[in-house]
Amino acid sequence: MMKRKLMNGMLALVLVAGFVNVYAQDVTDEDVKNYAIIELAKNSIIDGISPLVNEMIEKQEGMTGQRYQELQGAAGDAGKLAGIEAQEWEIKFYELVDKQIEKKKSAATDVVKLLASNAMGAASYKATKAAVDSDPAIKAKFEGYLAAFK
């Protein structure tokens, strides 16, 4: 019985390895290049979140980064907000900042969807993403394109 389980496990491993290899073979350099461009576009939006939050905190009188972190830790929990003695204006400020963060994240998701479907096709995008995640050689090509484009 144990021998059979071991054989089934090894067979599954061989099948998965073969599947990953097929993915890697179907992914072209152009796919990897396009995937890198899409990731750079997404990261460009995401990387703008922290500076935006910091700028909003700096401009808000009475708000500090530490206090914002406290609000963030208590967000959505009335008991925790009461525990940190959150004032109404602080809660409203946190909600405003959170909306801006969600807008940026949504924009990044929209950019990925739009570029993936129009530049590569959804299937090719997914195959390339899987290959980059699982194949060290393809990941190295991807990272090379990222570095070159920056």
Side-chain angles (χ1 to χ4, degrees):
M1 186 71 159
M2 178 84 135
K3 192 174 186 179
R4 184 175 177 190
K5 285 184 180 180
L6 183 60
M7 291 288 282
N8 286 342
M10 289 179 64
L11 179 61
L13 183 61
V14 168
L15 289 173
V16 168
F19 181 70
V20 168
N21 194 28
V22 167
Y23 253 154
Q25 290 174 353
D26 291 343
V27 173
T28 67
D29 284 348
E30 190 67 22
D31 290 335
V32 177
K33 181 179 174 183
N34 286 333
Y35 182 73
I37 291 167
I38 292 169
E39 287 298 297
L40 283 171
K42 177 187 81 174
N43 292 342
S44 176
I45 295 169
I46 297 296
D47 291 348
I49 291 174
S50 186
L52 171 70
V53 170
N54 290 337
E55 182 181 338
M56 291 177 78
I57 290 170
E58 286 176 21
K59 289 182 177 179
Q60 178 60 51
E61 186 177 328
M63 183 59 63
T64 64
Q66 181 179 350
R67 183 59 174 168
Y68 180 81
Q69 293 294 328
E70 290 172 357
L71 294 166
Q72 191 174 32
D77 186 329
K80 287 183 180 179
L81 288 170
I84 63 168
E85 299 176 2
Q87 297 177 26
E88 187 175 334
W89 73 267
E90 291 176 315
I91 295 168
K92 288 188 184 303
F93 174 76
Y94 175 80
E95 290 170 350
L96 174 71
V97 173
D98 192 51
K99 283 182 186 175
Q100 293 300 312
I101 291 170
E102 290 306 313
K103 279 176 59 175
K104 290 265 188 191
K105 287 180 180 178
S106 178
T109 300
D110 291 346
V111 163
V112 168
K113 287 178 184 175
L114 183 67
L115 290 174
S117 65
N118 291 301
M120 299 179 69
S124 201
Y125 174 83
K126 288 178 184 177
T128 305
K129 181 177 181 352
V132 167
D133 290 343
S134 65
D135 186 316
I138 292 179
K139 184 173 185 167
K141 280 184 190 179
F142 166 72
E143 289 172 350
Y145 282 124
L146 285 179
F149 294 148
K150 287 183 180 179

